[in-house]
Amino acid sequence: MLTLKPGILLTETEYGMALLDQESAEYWTLNPTAALVLQTLIDGHGTERAVEILTTRYDNVDAGLAAEDVGRIVGELRSAGLVTS
């Protein structure tokens, strides 16, 4: 389970999601896939559920590719300091 770091605001946009770090005033945009993964994880679900949702929503994505995408997205969110485990 992931949680947003304190001071991170998020909002859905027509293109995915935007996150703002109130402390640094930096912001990030997430495409719809990354936004779906983040929302799933901060809602309390694990990475397996995020993979399941991706493979259900996108017909041409298999579980292996979805797992790679979820891992990459989580890694980038952690590297940016936006989430904590």
Side-chain angles (χ1 to χ4, degrees):
M1 182 172 122
L2 291 181
T3 57
L4 290 175
K5 182 180 95 174
I8 302 294
L9 301 177
L10 69 84
T11 188
E12 290 185 31
T13 69
E14 63 183 294
Y15 303 108
M17 188 177 285
L19 293 95
L20 170 67
D21 184 335
Q22 293 178 314
E23 185 177 314
S24 70
E26 292 182 279
Y27 74 94
W28 292 263
T29 57
L30 304 179
N31 67 27
T33 301
L36 178 61
V37 169
L38 176 60
Q39 191 63 60
T40 300
L41 297 174
I42 63 175
D43 283 349
H45 302 285
T47 57
E48 298 83 12
R49 178 68 179 140
V51 168
E52 180 183 324
I53 290 171
L54 289 179
T55 57
T56 300
R57 178 157 303 175
Y58 302 105
D59 294 334
N60 61 341
V61 176
D62 65 26
L65 179 59
E68 288 177 22
D69 285 348
V70 169
R72 181 183 46 77
I73 291 165
V74 170
E76 290 177 7
L77 292 167
R78 284 186 175 138
S79 291
L82 299 170
V83 295
T84 59
S85 296

